[in-house]
Amino acid sequence: MAQSPVMDKLVSLCKRRGFVFQSSEIYGGLGSVWDYGPLGVELKRNVKDRWWHAMVRAREDIEGLDAAILMHPKVWEASGHVAGFSDPLVDCKTCKARFRADQIADAACPQKPSKHPGEHSTCSLTEPRMFNLMFKTVMGPVEESGSVVYLRPETAQGIYVNYLNVLQSSRQRIPFGIAQIGKAFRNEITPGNFIFRTREFEQMEMQFFVKPGDDAEWFERWRGLRMAWHQELGLNPDKLRWHPHVESELAHYARAAYDIEYEFPFGWSEIEGIHNRGDFDLTNHQTVSGKKLEYFDQASNTRYLPNVVETSAGADRIALTLLVDAFREEQVEGETRTVLGFHPSIAPIKAAVLPLVNKDAMPEMATGLFNDIRKKFACFYDDGGAIGRRYRRMDEVGTPFCVTVDGQTADDRTVTVRHRDSMAQDRIGIDAVAAYLSERLT
Ligand code: GAP
């Protein structure tokens, strides 16, 4: 289906201003793989930093981890991914396109986009067959005799196999959690919607280990905390909702699951999943590895396999959510002003420093100010073009503040601070700029 006009504008802005580029573009691109440019990498880093802060640094009961992407192949047998991480696939023998059998109703026939696959007179669809989404590679110097390993399709398994290592080295007690951010790979049949569904992406996952029987209560607690986190990013609360999974939607590992969904221009779609995984993963890893993974509870002098409540978010999806939520166009003095109205904590550039003109000591004063505040915030110096155009360039990438050194600065050491959303300007002392921004950015 064709992309919405808002998505078209956003994709074009992202390329033009250095947020997101298509991977290997000079070779024609690689399907549904994307690279983050200078502003995109800052945006995604801000998302990850906020998540890491909320989940690890601000809590005493969660430890961080950075497990390897490549894992022992038996991990994926134990996790159920070798047997069950598959989507039903149909091919069209005429146009050679591939579709998910369960999403035909949402797909467009490449030969006649107003129709669904199978509806055009020349369509010739195969019977559905199961297609495993894991990427395979070979470990070892000789391909034929090397062993097959997988690029992990989720980061969670790195947490399960390290659960005892973390427990023992950190001296945590149940209930406690392990969090990690890292790349995951899925050979999606129908990727799309820009960076929403890609074949290489980053997950921010946390597994919270609890006593059996306490899982339902912790599941509810984590649901509340995770929705609050999204709202604190400044996302429009009317565009966030819960989607509870009915029995037929539940993943193979889940006792209960809720998605947090956002209303994108292409419809309500999942940005994070909260799952009650019970003891599914630890039981399977204990069985397949033959290693005891039980927890000894000193208080009750009992041993048990903990239950797990998982929170699983995609950093790229949340970056897209922030871009969509922030994007607006408005008419100002007969011109269209494009704004990314990011929450200041998410904005890739926090403040721009602009000399009004390149003379009368303004560049020297502006450079001095820039060198001072860049020690604390991500800042940008721009001395090219009319001041109005420079403001617009900063609006378009979501910079909350523009600080301008003008003719008055040399006389009374004051500058103007322009606010992105209201476009109102305050006049403050040049020595007060760092404190002024700190107050509004932190
Ligand atoms: N460990 C559980 C798990 O991986 P999931 O619902 O398959 O659950 C969790 O994925 C999150 O990862 C999703 O909510 C989404 O934000 C992100 N995600 C999953 N597949 C993705 C893809 N192909 N591209 C981008 N993000 C993806």
Side-chain angles (χ1 to χ4, degrees), residues 186-197:
R186 296 183 189 177
N187 197 1
E188 300 277 5
I189 300 169
T190 51
N193 287 323
F194 193 30
I195 51 173
F196 179 82
R197 180 170 287 107

Side-chain angles (χ1 to χ4, degrees), residues 154 186 188 196 198 203 205 253 270-271 310 312 314:
E154 62 170 13
R186 296 183 189 177
E188 300 277 5
F196 179 82
T198 54
Q203 286 189 314
E205 295 201 300
Y253 50 73
E270 171 191 347
I271 55 174
E310 170 184 68
S312 176

Side-chain angles (χ1 to χ4, degrees), residues 388-438:
R389 294 188 70 79
R390 281 184 269 165
Y391 286 151
R392 292 288 184 273
R393 286 205 290 263
M394 285 296 108
D395 293 341
E396 198 184 37
V397 297
T399 306
F401 301 103
C402 287
V403 184
T404 304
V405 171
D406 58 18
Q408 201 180 316
T409 311
D411 298 337
D412 62 6
R413 292 191 58 75
T414 61
V415 292
T416 61
V417 181
R418 175 190 178 267
H419 297 241
R420 175 197 65 207
D421 296 325
S422 64
M423 293 183 282
Q425 300 197 9
D426 293 333
R427 190 141 205 121
I428 64 169
I430 195 167
D431 302 321
V433 171
Y436 182 97
L437 294 177
S438 270

